[in-house]
Amino acid sequence: MMISIVKKSSLWWGISGLAVIVSIAAMVISFTSLNAPIRPGLDFIGGTRLQIEKDCSVAGNCDNPIETSEVRDILDNLGLGNSTIQILGNQQQTLSVRTENLDVDGRTELQKALSDEIGQFDPKTTQIDTVGPTIGKELFVSGILALLVAFFGIIVYLSVRFQFDYALFAIVALFHDVFITAGVFAILGLVAQVEVNSLFLVALLTIIGFSVNDTVVIYDRIRETIANDNDESTINDIVDSAVNQTLGRSINTTVTTLLPLIGIFLFGGQTLKLFALALIIGFALGAYSSIFIASTLLAWWRNSRGDKAVAVSS
């Protein structure tokens, strides 16, 4: 049974449009409150991150979870009121604090104050990261530049392999995937204080590669179908046929890719969890946009021109 994708184009575009609007709203709110569309992590703005975990081998030390308000009072007393606080773990016994850049004495003072007020921490679990603001800015600029180069390269490749309008709609689909993924993390930054780091940019680059690969497969099938057609089929029929022929492959590829990522998200470390989550969201969106956005936009454009021709170069 053939599924008509083009017939319900308005539905697919409406779903994507709503998701994009929500993403824009989330990033605007985030920019208003955080001066950034997505809550930036230590990699981008610089500072010191201290992560410590209570020593539960000490009797009574882990009877109560760590309270954010208690940690905030300690930081205020040390003149670090603008710091970011996260309580981690199911038992809420792990504390992550991001502050301005602290020297050795400042870090020691902070750890002592936390131990005195909250309880004894296990020194074996202590993690301290420090990134200067200059390095953070360089990482951000390099990441954005990598994204722009990737988009430009994809436009050139698809323009040569197919035609420019094919490349244009593939880029629209890629923006759709990247934008909504960023929007989800903007929401998470607002409601759960989730921060993004350089791995998030790596995830976006990976999402771009995955999404365009799926789109190219569908475009190839559209091109082959047009080349073998005797002008008896409309572009809508051709796009529907191409999508249906590649649908099983798209679903199988996406599911087998998502399964290990879900495993990493459920059982990986905190940094890997967020990296895996970004890939899960982006890969799912990539499969969706290749099938429901890139292909239907192409059909709409060809119909508006009254033309179904496509370059047959390989």
Side-chain angles (χ1 to χ4, degrees), residues 44-155:
F44 296 140
I45 61 176
T48 297
R49 184 179 67 89
L50 171 67
Q51 182 168 312
I52 47 181
E53 183 177 345
K54 277 188 177 182
D55 187 353
C56 293
S57 63
V58 177
N61 195 48
C62 296
D63 289 347
N64 299 313
I66 300 173
E67 297 289 342
T68 302
S69 58
E70 188 177 7
V71 177
R72 178 64 64 191
D73 289 340
I74 296 170
L75 293 172
D76 287 340
N77 292 333
L78 294 174
L80 301 171
N82 292 327
S83 302
T84 300
I85 302 169
Q86 284 183 285
I87 310 299
L88 308 174
N90 294 331
Q91 305 300 318
Q92 296 187 311
Q93 300 296 328
T94 302
L95 171 64
S96 178
V97 178
R98 193 192 71 200
T99 71
E100 61 189 42
N101 276 312
L102 299 176
D103 56 20
V104 176
D105 292 337
R107 295 197 296 267
T108 302
E109 183 182 7
L110 174 58
Q111 287 180 268
K112 183 178 184 304
L114 291 170
S115 297
D116 291 342
E117 297 294 331
I118 296 176
Q120 187 171 340
F121 291 92
D122 186 354
K124 295 179 181 178
T125 64
T126 300
Q127 299 178 33
I128 300 176
D129 302 308
T130 298
V131 176
T134 302
I135 295 176
K137 183 178 179 181
E138 290 176 355
L139 284 172
F140 178 76
V141 172
S142 297
I144 296 300
L145 181 61
L147 285 173
L148 294 176
V149 169
F151 277 118
F152 178 76
I154 290 168
I155 290 175

Side-chain angles (χ1 to χ4, degrees), residues 5 12 16 170 173-174 176-178 180-181 206-218 243-244 246-258 278-296:
I5 303 297
W12 318 132
S16 294
L174 293 183
H176 167 277
D177 304 339
V178 169
I180 296 177
T181 301
T206 308
I207 290 166
I208 289 172
F210 180 88
S211 179
V212 77
N213 175 69
D214 219 14
T215 303
V216 166
V217 170
I218 294 176
V243 170
N244 278 271
T246 58
L247 189 60
R249 175 218 178 263
S250 296
I251 293 174
N252 291 336
T253 301
T254 302
V255 170
T256 53
T257 305
L258 290 180
L279 291 181
I280 290 169
I281 296 169
F283 285 4
L285 287 169
Y288 174 85
S289 66
S290 296
I291 296 170
F292 298 106
I293 303 300
S295 60
T296 56

Side-chain angles (χ1 to χ4, degrees), residues 88-90 185 188 194-195 197 199 203 261-281:
L88 308 174
N90 294 331
F185 272 79
L188 292 175
V194 170
E195 300 174 346
N197 55 23
L199 274 181
L261 290 174
I262 292 172
I264 294 173
F265 175 72
L266 293 176
F267 307 109
Q270 187 65 25
T271 302
L272 287 179
K273 279 180 182 290
L274 297 178
F275 178 68
L277 178 60
L279 291 181
I280 290 169
I281 296 169

Side-chain angles (χ1 to χ4, degrees), residues 218-231:
I218 294 176
Y219 280 178
D220 257 332
R221 190 56 56 91
I222 292 174
R223 181 181 61 180
E224 292 172 4
T225 304
I226 290 177
N228 296 326
D229 186 64
N230 295 320
D231 294 328

